[in-house]
Amino acid sequence: MTSYDVLGVGNALVDIQAQVEDSILSELSIDKGIMTLVDDQQQASVLSRLDGRPLNRCAGGSAANTIVALAEFGGTGAFIAKIGDDEVGEFFIKDMRDLGVKMDVDPAKGSPTGTCAVLITDDAQRSMMTNLGASATLQSSDIDESLIKAAKYVYIEGYLLTGETTKAAAYRAMDIAKQHGVKVAFTASDPFLVNMIRDEIWDLITGPVDLFFCNEEEAKSLTGEADPIACAAKIHDHAENVALTLGPKGSIVMHGGEAFPIEGVEVKAIDTTGAGDMYAGALLYGITNGMTWRQAGHLASQASARVVSQMGARLERKFTKEEIQSLSDLA
């Protein structure tokens, strides 16, 4: 059986990016610059309006982006999520496998594969329409025990906790990981989510979660503290490891009672989508491939800075082995 650095569990969404005029947003009654959840019919009408335009497609979703980042650094990853029985689903699986990520899943009949239409206007604003589609049908029976046993870490996205069956799948993955001595990493995903299920997240980080990822806003909401260092320390009282991102100011990594402040990297941010996913992928790559927590934090900081200085959640200019090595030497 092959072993994996990280097995991700999350939503399978194909990102479909298109450049559009402002008039298209008005015509489709889309709120500019924010993410809106839409149903199958609404998404079908948005996508049909993009027919004939140049589109950029790639496998996406928060945990999927993190596993892709891990793979692009040279780590070994697997991914569990639900796709629909359609061309978009076939595209998702092929895209993941082409990157070396193991993904085997029975398609859900009768639901379209989840999509996120990303409409980019001339002012660089991104307006997103997300249709979870088949990804919302993930259930505990989709969780493959043999894949979890073969991984060093299981990485769970917080968005799964918003649906009954997807939550059951997330908990089953964590339970199996604990039975087999596999570490559990969890990302808060969204400040909105933390506000909604604060107590449940505390239960998770006090319980099965070994590594908790969050950003400054999520950490403040969770702890009620105003200072990021106080936030990180409070979370670290409960969770063995904490990675708290601070946007351009860098991040704080907590491990073994020690705080490692990681400085930010000066870049001109063009598109911050996927910055947290990239940070998590780089950090997980580092700690499962022989780096210290401080070194992994530096790599993650560099990686998230590079991804925000371009469009899209995948690195156009990947890190070379030499760059990764030199970052290890510096940290």
Side-chain angles (χ1 to χ4, degrees), residues 19-151:
Q19 302 273 352
V20 301
E21 307 77 48
D22 283 311
S23 58
I24 298 268
L25 299 187
S26 328
E27 184 190 314
L28 293 167
S29 310
I30 289 166
D31 293 324
K32 183 186 265 201
I34 66 167
M35 194 276 279
T36 310
L37 278 173
V38 294
D39 64 23
D40 296 354
Q41 267 180 310
Q42 289 169 300
Q43 190 74 318
S45 73
V46 169
L47 296 177
S48 69
R49 192 65 186 77
L50 301 178
D51 271 356
R53 290 172 182 262
L55 301 175
N56 177 36
R57 293 200 304 181
C58 68
S62 172
N65 287 339
T66 291
I67 298 299
V68 164
L70 168 97
E72 293 199 317
F73 278 104
T76 51
F79 189 59
I80 294 175
K82 267 306 211 205
I83 54 164
D85 194 3
D86 52 18
E87 184 275 331
V88 179
E90 285 169 19
F91 171 83
F92 186 98
I93 283 205
K94 181 178 185 313
D95 197 29
M96 294 298 273
R97 288 177 178 164
D98 286 350
L99 293 158
V101 175
K102 179 173 175 62
M103 187 174 175
D104 296 304
V105 62
D106 294 325
K109 305 280 186 231
S111 291
T113 298
T115 48
C116 178
V118 185
L119 307 184
I120 306 158
T121 36
D122 288 342
D123 54 7
Q125 287 266 24
R126 296 158 65 83
S127 311
M128 296 190 269
M129 262 47 46
T130 300
N131 171 233
L132 292 171
S135 65
T137 68
L138 181 74
Q139 54 193 359
S140 50
S141 59
D142 294 310
I143 302 299
D144 181 340
E145 184 164 0
S146 63
L147 276 182
I148 293 176
K149 276 166 53 176

Side-chain angles (χ1 to χ4, degrees), residues 161-172:
L161 302 186
T162 58
E164 280 313 303
T165 66
T166 54
K167 179 195 285 203
Y171 275 86
R172 178 163 156 75

Side-chain angles (χ1 to χ4, degrees), residues 142-305:
D142 294 310
I143 302 299
D144 181 340
E145 184 164 0
S146 63
L147 276 182
I148 293 176
K149 276 166 53 176
K152 296 175 190 169
Y153 264 88
V154 169
Y155 179 76
I156 310 277
E157 68 175 70
Y159 289 124
L160 293 179
L161 302 186
T162 58
E164 280 313 303
T165 66
T166 54
K167 179 195 285 203
Y171 275 86
R172 178 163 156 75
M174 290 189 270
D175 289 345
I176 294 171
K178 291 286 110 176
Q179 286 165 30
H180 296 290
V182 174
K183 298 277 192 194
V184 173
F186 178 83
T187 174
S189 290
D190 196 297
F192 153 79
L193 193 72
V194 176
N195 292 332
M196 198 169 73
I197 53 168
R198 188 175 291 108
D199 292 347
E200 186 174 358
I201 290 179
W202 271 122
D203 287 345
L204 285 171
I205 57 184
T206 306
V209 172
D210 300 286
L211 167 56
F212 180 62
F213 287 97
C214 57
N215 64 24
E216 188 171 357
E217 196 181 339
E218 291 155 0
K220 287 176 175 174
S221 167
L222 189 63
T223 60
E225 299 285 348
D227 175 63
I229 294 178
C231 288
K234 192 166 181 177
I235 296 168
H236 192 36
D237 285 343
H238 300 263
E240 189 186 342
N241 306 293
V242 183
L244 195 170
T245 57
L246 304 168
K249 301 194 292 285
S251 61
I252 302 165
V253 174
M254 307 280 299
H255 169 70
E258 263 191 284
F260 302 110
I262 311 289
E263 71 288 342
V265 181
E266 285 260 329
V267 287
K268 181 180 186 302
I270 292 175
D271 173 12
T272 57
T273 319
D277 301 337
M278 175 60 67
Y279 182 95
L283 188 93
L284 286 165
Y285 166 77
I287 59 173
T288 54
N289 283 275
M291 286 185 167
T292 65
W293 284 82
R294 186 193 296 274
Q295 289 168 338
H298 279 282
L299 178 65
S301 191
Q302 293 281 344
S304 50

